[in-house]
Amino acid sequence: MTGTPERAIPEPAGPTLGEAIRAFRPAGPPDSETRERRQRLAEFVREVEPRVHRAPAAEREAVRALLGWDDASLHRFINSTMLVHSSTHVSMNAFAPMVSFPWFCLRLLTGTAGSPDGGQGSHLRTQLTHNNLSDNRWKPHVWWRLDRRGRLARTQLFSKQPRFKHKVLLVQPVPDVPDDDLAPSDAQAVRLARHATNFAYFAMMYRMSLERGVGLHIQDGTVEIPVDLMNAFSLRAGDFPRWHQTLYRQGFALRRIGEDDRLQPLSAEAAAARGPADPLRPEATLLCPNYINVGHAHRMGPAAAIGADRMASYEEEMTGVLSRFFADLGETHKPPQFLGVAGMDLDRLVPLPETLTAELAVEGGKPSLPLYTAVYADRLVPALDTALTHPMGELASIITRHVPAPVAARQATATAHL
């Protein structure tokens, strides 16, 4: 007797990306120490506002709303029950997967809307402003965009000559960008960004303007405080001796921007002689090493943090380093949940016209945030949202860690390569 062949039972597809994102939980109301620290940071950024921009009175509120330095955004940040942290590099470009970071942060926040602690989330973004003109992941020396006729344009912002290598963006001038050849989204962004005091802040304000324009941020749900300003806050005159002693006792060195516009490490004696520097002068700011720069944001009590594949590889080590550092500093340290974005298949989610990608290849570029916002506008977020219903690894490869401990095994790792 011949039986009917058994039907193979398909393997479970695993959690969807949306389910993985919804697994992140709010931290709840900040404790009194964290809330007071957030309050002091909010007061500090308003005090040193001229460091970042020189907007006239007529446009000051527009710039504050752009950066999240308006009253509503700062109030929400101070009281946030679901603070999400990201820290990307400043540039006029943002490539995959980093271009998707604000979308992940947006969905981490909106995914908590139905929970008892939801609805009061905030995104703290501490963009790295001391990257340099040799930053090949972000290519800040050049800008790929569309012109006012919708054609690809390549704008050279800084020279690639060897003498310009490794010059820090924080002390480069605001570029002279012509007004008569910009796409509408770029024209509005550049108009506000021109109030910045240097190129790093110019690129920071430009990017935020594009992202807000296409709906990648909740209206009063993002606060932009660059890494150099976070350093200036932590290393204030009253706290400088404690930070200085702990940093050098732990084997870390502070850095300064030299007269050649490049980062230079300082001996303990040289750093002590310089002190915390004038907070209104970005060129005088002392900068901590990478792990400690992330730690400045951890002091604000984020529930979740997002990073790319590189951070995913060192995040566990960094968490251990920060736990030891803050214990020595005399502060508590609770590491946030972590979401590492290893890949995002933007070619499937938000494909650009073939003619545009072909032109990009000829120009030595690749799809970037200004192109996605110009082509998709308010359709960008819905297009990215389609990834939420697909299994992890199909359109987005992520790594998550939910256990708030210094050393923890990673969970829900997607191994697919895009």
Side-chain angles (χ1 to χ4, degrees):
M1 179 175 177
T2 304
T4 303
E6 293 185 6
R7 294 177 58 188
I9 300 175
E11 291 292 327
T16 65
L17 179 63
E19 290 169 339
I21 289 175
R22 286 192 294 273
F24 284 76
R25 293 289 179 260
D31 58 38
S32 58
E33 180 183 3
T34 302
R35 191 183 186 282
E36 181 186 2
R37 190 175 292 133
R38 293 181 187 178
Q39 177 75 46
R40 285 190 282 111
L41 178 60
E43 293 168 353
F44 181 77
V45 297
R46 292 291 283 270
E47 289 172 10
V48 299
E49 208 167 345
R51 169 196 179 104
V52 175
H53 73 89
R54 303 287 169 80
E59 292 199 289
R60 192 168 301 138
E61 288 306 316
V63 172
R64 284 177 174 174
L66 178 70
L67 296 172
W69 293 7
D70 57 296
D71 292 345
S73 297
L74 291 174
H75 177 78
R76 183 171 178 143
F77 161 69
I78 292 167
N79 297 287
S80 175
T81 58
M82 178 65 174
L83 186 65
V84 176
H85 173 239
S86 73
S87 185
T88 57
H89 292 197
V90 294
S91 174
M92 300 296 279
N93 310 298
F95 309 114
M98 287 81 77
V99 68
S100 66
F101 280 17
W103 175 79
F104 275 100
C105 293
L106 176 69
R107 290 299 166 240
L108 282 170
L109 295 176
T110 58
T112 68
S115 71
D117 292 315
Q120 284 300 314
S122 185
H123 175 191
L124 169 64
R125 183 157 67 180
T126 61
Q127 288 196 64
L128 194 151
T129 46
H130 59 276
N131 55 322
N132 59 59
L133 292 172
S134 303
D135 185 345
N136 287 326
R137 271 197 128 183
W138 295 82
K139 302 187 185 303
H141 68 282
V142 69
W143 175 27
W144 286 281
R145 58 184 180 83
L146 296 186
D147 65 16
R148 60 188 179 89
R149 299 177 184 84
R151 301 175 305 191
L152 180 68
R154 180 186 185 278
T155 300
Q156 189 81 25
L157 300 171
F158 296 95
S159 172
K160 285 287 286 180
Q161 293 181 18
R163 64 190 178 93
F164 289 95
K165 288 185 66 175
H166 306 300
K167 287 185 178 289
V168 173
L169 301 184
L170 190 61
V171 291
Q172 302 309 308
V174 171
D176 183 17
V177 178
D179 289 321
D180 59 355
D181 190 34
L182 297 175
S185 55
D186 285 335
Q188 169 66 9
V190 166
R191 185 181 66 80
L192 287 179
R194 277 207 180 95
H195 298 309
T197 57
N198 58 56
F199 175 69
Y201 298 151
F202 174 84
M204 177 182 75
M205 292 167 66
Y206 167 78
R207 178 181 181 183
M208 177 59 89
S209 184
L210 293 188
E211 292 174 348
R212 285 196 185 276
V214 297
L216 284 165
H217 296 270
I218 298 169
Q219 182 176 352
D220 56 355
T222 299
V223 174
E224 188 90 73
I225 307 178
V227 162
D228 63 279
L229 202 54
M230 296 293 286
N231 273 275
F233 171 73
S234 295
L235 301 176
R236 296 188 313 277
D239 286 340
F240 183 75
R242 180 171 64 107
W243 275 78
H244 174 271
Q245 292 167 14
T246 305
L247 282 163
Y248 284 91
R249 186 166 54 238
Q250 290 279 326
F252 297 111
L254 288 164
R255 297 167 291 173
R256 65 180 285 264
I257 303 173
E259 293 181 1
D260 60 356
D261 290 356
R262 302 182 183 192
L263 280 182
Q264 301 173 352
L266 294 170
S267 66
E269 295 76 15
R274 284 187 165 272
D278 182 349
L280 286 172
R281 295 178 56 213
E283 73 279 4
T285 301
L286 297 183
L287 296 160
C288 291
N290 180 38
Y291 286 5
I292 307 303
N293 283 332
V294 175
H296 294 307
H298 282 200
R299 300 178 75 215
M300 300 300 139
I306 186 170
D309 52 341
R310 290 183 182 177
M311 183 177 283
S313 68
Y314 64 69
E315 181 267 342
E316 187 173 318
E317 175 189 353
M318 178 181 68
T319 298
V321 168
L322 288 176
S323 292
R324 292 189 294 273
F325 175 82
F326 283 111
D328 195 2
L329 189 68
E331 294 183 6
T332 58
H333 175 241
K334 184 178 180 181
Q337 302 163 92
F338 178 72
L339 189 156
V341 182
M344 190 75 169
D345 196 346
L346 297 181
D347 288 340
R348 289 174 60 190
L349 288 165
V350 283
L352 295 177
E354 291 184 6
T355 54
L356 181 56
T357 55
E359 288 181 78
L360 268 176
V362 171
E363 293 287 348
K366 53 185 178 180
S368 179
L369 175 66
L371 303 179
Y372 289 122
T373 56
V375 171
Y376 278 87
D378 59 2
R379 296 181 294 118
L380 182 63
V381 170
L384 293 173
D385 282 345
T386 60
L388 294 171
T389 58
H390 288 254
M392 286 170 48
E394 184 175 314
L395 294 173
S397 180
I398 68 171
I399 300 167
T400 64
R401 179 182 62 76
H402 297 295
V403 182
V407 179
R410 284 173 174 75
Q411 304 170 1
T413 301
T415 59
H417 296 283
L418 302 181

